[in-house]
Amino acid sequence: MVSEMVEEFFTDRAPDDVLLLHFSCHGVKDDNGELYFATPTTKLNRLGRPRSRPSSSAAG
């Protein structure tokens, strides 16, 4: 859901638009020590599955 909201924020913008996205959240680690972004609706038993995103994926 978060990635969909971010995508929607950047959709249909003009090249000269100035956008600022401030993203703040908590993180949780899976059993392998991989860090994931967490929201109030994060399901810990689903970490590492295709829809979850490691925090390292935000680094561009």
Side-chain angles (χ1 to χ4, degrees):
M1 181 185 312
V2 172
S3 61
E4 292 171 3
M5 293 169 63
V6 171
E7 181 180 347
E8 186 175 321
F9 177 75
F10 286 103
T11 300
D12 298 326
R13 305 298 180 192
D16 59 341
D17 286 347
V18 176
L19 304 175
L20 174 65
L21 173 69
H22 174 82
F23 188 83
S24 178
C25 70
H26 293 278
V28 293
K29 289 186 178 181
D30 66 10
D31 293 338
N32 297 319
E34 185 77 38
L35 183 63
Y36 291 83
F37 294 132
T39 68
T41 60
T42 296
K43 293 177 175 54
L44 298 178
N45 63 336
R46 293 187 177 178
L47 293 178
R49 294 193 180 162
R51 288 204 46 118
S52 59
R53 303 236 192 257
S55 62
S56 59
S57 69

